């Protein structure tokens, strides 16, 4: 039963991390096509380390779910941490560049 919980949490963490990476990719692409988008593109480049780190940690957590109950607990801890960091980073980026309409 704990394995199922660990897998679900790990998948949610991977989705959160990939969501952040995808948002950065879209933002960077749009900034590259606009005149004056250099500051945004620079910001996006500075955030790639966080996106890559959270994605790697999430995938590691998902990989750990293939082990026993001890690894499942470790996977849950890693997945919750990386998912929380990815979600917070995504919210921070969205708040910074959210347009009014």
């Amino acid at each position: 039963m704990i394995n199922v919980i660990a897998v679900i949490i790990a998948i949610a963490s991977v989705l959160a991390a990939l969501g952040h990476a995808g948002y950065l990719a879209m933002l960077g692409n749009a900034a590259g096509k606009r005149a004056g988008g250099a500051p945004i593109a620079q910001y996006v480049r500075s955030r790639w380390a966080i996106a890559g780190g959270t994605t790697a940690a999430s995938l590691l957590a998902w990989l750990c779910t293939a082990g026993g109950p001890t690894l499942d607990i470790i996977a849950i801890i890693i997945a919750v941490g990386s998912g929380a960091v990815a979600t917070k980073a995504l919210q921070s980026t969205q708040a910074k560049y959210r347009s009014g309409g």
Side-chain angles (χ1 to χ4, degrees):
M1 184 65 179
I2 192 153
N3 182 263
V4 173
I5 295 168
V7 169
I8 290 171
I9 292 171
I11 291 172
S13 176
V14 169
L15 291 176
L18 290 178
H20 181 227
Y23 188 78
L24 286 177
M26 288 189 326
L27 190 61
N29 188 20
K33 292 181 180 179
R34 294 191 121 183
I40 297 172
Q42 182 179 5
Y43 175 79
V44 167
R45 281 191 299 274
S46 74
R47 302 297 281 184
W48 277 115
I50 294 171
T54 56
T55 302
S58 299
L59 291 172
L60 175 67
W62 197 356
L63 182 66
C64 286
T65 62
T70 303
L71 280 177
D72 287 339
I73 293 170
I74 292 170
I76 290 171
I77 293 168
I78 294 171
V80 167
S82 64
V85 170
T87 302
K88 186 70 173 171
L90 174 60
Q91 290 171 348
S92 160
T93 303
Q94 286 176 333
K96 185 173 177 102
Y97 293 109
R98 182 165 285 144
S99 65

